[in-house]
Amino acid sequence: MYERRLWTAEMRYILDNKCSIQNNDYFLQKAKSLFPKLQKTVVFPQSNPQELLKNEIFSRTDSEEPLGTGESLLLDFGDHQVGYLTLKLGYTGSHPDAPVWLRVRFAERLQELKEDVNAYHGWISKGWIQSEELHIDVLPTVLNLPRRYAFRYVLIEVLDISSKFRLTVREAFCTAVSSAMREKLQPYHGSPEDEALDQIACRTLHECMQTVFEDGPKRDRRLWIGDLRLQALVNYETYRQNDMVKSCLYLFAGSTLPDGRVSACIFLEPEIEADDTVMFDYSLFFIATLRDYYNATGDRDTVRELYPTALRQWELAQQNFDDNDVIRDSDQLGWCFVDWDLHLNKQASAQGIYLYCTRALLDMTRMLNLHTQTGESPFPSADDLEKNLQRKTEAAKTYFFDKLAGVFVSGESRQISYASQVWMVLGGAADGSVLDAVERIPQAHRMVTPYMYHHYIEALLQADRTEKAFEVLRRYWGGMAREGADTFWELYNPENPSESPYGGSIVNSYCHAWSCGPAYFLRKYVMGKIA
């Protein structure tokens, strides 16, 4: 019942706000002027892929052997790629007397190729499945597939071919694209295990750096603000292409809903347009992302220009509190993401996220000296923000903290979750004792995604649980590495690595921006500081 009520509230909010996007042409032009140039690299498959023929669905990995009906060729590009596939095709035998019917499948992980495309009936569109069927009328030919794909493996299947000839794949290569410049990547030195995690995290970010910071190059291939915030933090420690962060901030500020609310994500094609999806937490994260950008760059002019957009997100959030300064529960709040889990009650987390972002707004208000303005001002003073923060912090402690359990609870059911403790710590309403206490509660609702684990580690570090933070990081992200990850995934459950929130793992994203956090934590807190 809770899941149904929450989903209904989320969809009702989306539908009520469908429509009318307002654009600020000045902001959008500024964003476009900062778009990075895509770097192109030609990548060839490995000549001797290792252990790829253990499953009988793969006929061969030797491209020199011609292919007949029902046979397939598996190509391994050695690492995760984002780009465009070119196949140079020929034939042996008689002159082709009929088209070749091919299926070309792309996979980030080998196991995707073992799944039946037709068996997927989840709620995310099948259109995201990277599988193409096509007819080749003339041979030899150079086939340039027009779509951009995210993959390591390519499976070429001959669905049918005339008995008079056989197909040959004379050459295959990927024109890989990314706006990340390898020469700008800052070196990392640590233990072999940490270096491996850093390398995979950097590769994850590299693949998601396109014209904007995409959430995932396989799916959804667009700019989401929750992912952007974490990508930007990693970027500041790695590639340091900070104008790209600036561009994304201007995109969000330049395309908002009629009330000034920042959308959850932005489309770039066929023209820049904000999605009609809004989330309570994602809109607020525009504030924190802008603050983080200033901390990394010292760019006061950009903060001054975008401060009104940040402030507007804070003002809109006020509508979601009752007279006791308590955030409304999930069924009234609308969509608040927090984690990919519809069974998670998000009320307490939402209060903590509000506190966290209010602190970020307060930082920028003080930095811009708005608190010293005299006379009438369109902006609240730092004192006003401080008082609001204090009231809502006290409300968080009064209405959500369970003294007997020693943790924060959430919603009518008084659900105990890791997420509630994490966001109350990050919001400044609690110390690390709640993180210790929740570990002693077996029924506590656990975390689902690397996105939530990132915030958990952030909270552990803020609470001076440094050793614990890196124990969690190495165990969780190390689990993906041990599963053979070239890039880190959208979702990872150590007890069920194939788990999916979409009804089928074939649409899971195995290169996802919100999971690149290890490079941030290892470089900022470990390199040269922790043995």
Side-chain angles (χ1 to χ4, degrees):
M1 178 62 71
Y2 166 74
E3 180 176 345
R4 180 178 297 175
R5 284 190 292 116
L6 175 57
W7 184 252
T8 301
E10 292 170 353
M11 295 312 297
R12 185 175 64 246
Y13 194 89
I14 291 170
L15 292 173
D16 288 347
N17 287 277
K18 195 177 178 83
C19 63
S20 15
I21 302 296
Q22 59 180 17
N23 287 344
N24 181 316
D25 290 337
Y26 168 73
F27 282 176
L28 293 184
Q29 287 303 316
K30 199 155 192 176
K32 291 178 183 178
S33 72
L34 295 166
F35 280 172
K37 181 180 179 181
L38 291 178
Q39 313 292 310
K40 296 182 179 181
T41 307
V42 175
V43 182
F44 292 90
Q46 292 182 344
S47 56
N48 295 302
Q50 297 179 355
E51 299 186 354
L52 294 185
L53 298 179
K54 287 185 176 180
N55 190 297
E56 62 274 9
I57 70 166
F58 306 132
S59 299
R60 59 178 62 114
T61 60
D62 183 359
S63 61
E64 294 181 1
E65 289 291 323
L67 301 170
T69 299
E71 295 183 318
S72 61
L73 170 66
L74 179 64
L75 304 176
D76 176 6
F77 283 79
D79 201 349
H80 193 282
Q81 310 295 332
V82 177
Y84 302 85
L85 182 68
T86 296
L87 298 174
K88 293 184 178 181
L89 304 176
Y91 69 94
T92 61
S94 300
H95 189 287
D97 62 337
V100 180
W101 184 15
L102 288 183
R103 179 189 292 127
V104 184
R105 295 181 62 187
F106 300 81
E108 295 178 302
R109 298 186 69 210
L110 196 59
Q111 70 181 50
E112 294 174 70
L113 298 177
K114 302 174 185 178
E115 299 186 42
D116 182 358
V117 172
N118 296 318
Y120 171 73
H121 298 290
W123 63 275
I124 289 286
S125 170
K126 281 186 178 181
W128 288 118
I129 297 174
Q130 300 183 116
S131 179
E132 309 289 353
E133 289 189 15
L134 57 156
H135 291 76
I136 310 300
D137 293 298
V138 178
L139 291 172
T141 189
V142 177
L143 178 63
N144 294 297
L145 274 70
R147 292 193 70 228
R148 196 195 78 188
Y149 303 94
F151 64 96
R152 172 174 171 174
Y153 304 101
V154 177
L155 181 65
I156 302 169
E157 302 173 278
V158 178
L159 299 180
D160 205 2
I161 191 171
S162 167
S163 60
K164 295 187 68 175
F165 71 98
R166 293 166 73 83
L167 180 73
T168 59
V169 180
R170 296 177 175 176
E171 188 174 66
F173 62 86
C174 169
T175 303
V177 292
S178 171
S179 60
M181 291 181 273
R182 296 178 186 272
E183 63 272 17
K184 286 194 171 185
L185 180 61
Q186 305 299 304
Y188 175 76
H189 303 289
S191 70
E193 178 189 12
D194 287 353
E195 286 185 2
L197 294 177
D198 177 80
Q199 180 179 354
I200 298 171
C202 288
R203 184 67 182 179
T204 305
L205 180 62
H206 175 278
E207 300 294 85
C208 294
M209 289 174 70
Q210 298 296 325
T211 302
V212 295
F213 286 99
E214 293 183 357
D215 64 322
K218 171 184 172 182
R219 204 213 80 245
D220 300 325
R221 298 172 55 160
R222 56 185 181 266
L223 173 64
W224 287 83
I225 199 163
D227 298 80
L228 170 63
R229 177 177 160 264
L230 304 191
Q231 286 171 289
L233 291 173
V234 179
N235 170 73
Y236 301 141
E237 301 295 328
T238 56
Y239 293 99
R240 300 184 181 177
Q241 294 177 213
N242 299 337
D243 276 353
M244 197 168 163
V245 181
K246 182 177 177 179
S247 174
C248 293
L249 287 166
Y250 274 102
L251 283 174
F252 278 111
S255 188
T256 61
L257 295 170
D259 61 359
R261 190 184 305 271
V262 165
S263 171
C265 67
I266 299 286
F267 297 98
L268 294 188
E269 296 176 331
E271 58 187 19
I272 295 169
E273 183 179 4
D275 191 11
D276 52 21
T277 300
V278 294
M279 303 179 190
F280 174 80
D281 49 346
Y282 273 33
S283 294
L284 280 172
F285 280 141
F286 181 87
I287 303 171
T289 308
L290 183 60
R291 186 272 315 273
D292 294 342
Y293 170 78
Y294 173 75
N295 287 344
T297 66
D299 182 358
R300 291 173 60 93
D301 291 340
T302 294
V303 175
R304 191 180 300 277
E305 204 159 52
L306 297 183
Y307 179 87
T309 302
L311 176 62
R312 183 60 182 153
Q313 309 318 302
W314 182 84
E315 291 173 340
L316 289 166
Q318 307 307 312
Q319 303 168 6
N320 295 287
F321 288 86
D322 64 19
D323 293 339
N324 295 313
D325 287 315
V326 175
I327 196 76
R328 302 186 191 283
D329 204 349
S330 302
D331 57 349
Q332 304 172 59
L333 181 61
W335 198 348
C336 182
F337 179 72
V338 182
D339 201 5
W340 237 146
D341 185 354
L342 291 175
H343 298 288
L344 173 66
N345 185 283
K346 302 171 182 180
Q347 185 183 17
S349 296
Q351 184 106 7
I353 290 167
Y354 172 86
L355 298 177
Y356 177 82
C357 293
T358 299
R359 291 179 183 278
L361 185 66
L362 184 57
D363 290 345
M364 289 187 289
T365 301
R366 287 172 172 156
M367 181 273 295
L368 293 173
N369 294 321
L370 296 176
H371 62 298
T372 62
Q373 290 185 358
T374 57
E376 291 189 9
S377 168
F379 306 121
S381 67
D383 287 343
D384 291 337
L385 290 174
E386 185 70 55
K387 290 174 183 176
N388 181 288
L389 181 63
Q390 290 174 357
R391 289 199 314 271
K392 289 181 170 60
T393 300
E394 287 306 310
K397 296 175 181 178
T398 301
Y399 288 91
F400 293 107
F401 189 68
D402 185 316
K403 293 181 180 179
L404 185 62
V407 294
F408 288 85
V409 297
S410 185
E412 291 181 7
S413 64
R414 297 177 64 79
Q415 183 189 79
I416 297 173
S417 70
Y418 276 75
S420 295
Q421 318 316 313
V422 165
W423 280 111
M424 287 301 183
V425 169
L426 291 176
D431 58 27
S433 63
V434 298
L435 300 175
D436 302 332
V438 74
E439 285 195 73
R440 298 190 291 269
I441 302 175
Q443 71 272 24
H445 209 80
R446 305 190 73 81
M447 298 165 285
V448 174
T449 61
Y451 176 80
M452 189 62 232
Y453 269 89
H454 180 112
H455 296 113
Y456 179 44
I457 290 171
E458 198 171 14
L460 288 167
L461 290 169
Q462 183 169 308
D464 294 323
R465 270 64 172 175
T466 301
E467 185 176 345
K468 174 70 174 179
F470 287 98
E471 174 193 327
V472 171
L473 185 148
R474 293 175 180 120
R475 182 176 69 244
Y476 185 71
W477 274 271
M480 282 184 268
R482 288 185 289 275
E483 289 282 340
D486 299 305
T487 50
F488 288 128
W489 309 342
E490 174 184 18
L491 177 139
Y492 173 59
N493 178 354
E495 298 176 2
N496 180 15
S498 296
E499 185 173 313
S500 173
Y502 307 116
S505 61
I506 196 170
V507 294
N508 279 14
S509 169
Y510 292 105
C511 174
H512 214 74
W514 68 26
S515 64
C516 64
Y520 167 71
F521 293 117
L522 290 170
R523 290 162 180 266
K524 187 175 180 66
Y525 296 98
V526 176
M527 189 164 58
K529 299 176 185 178
I530 300 174

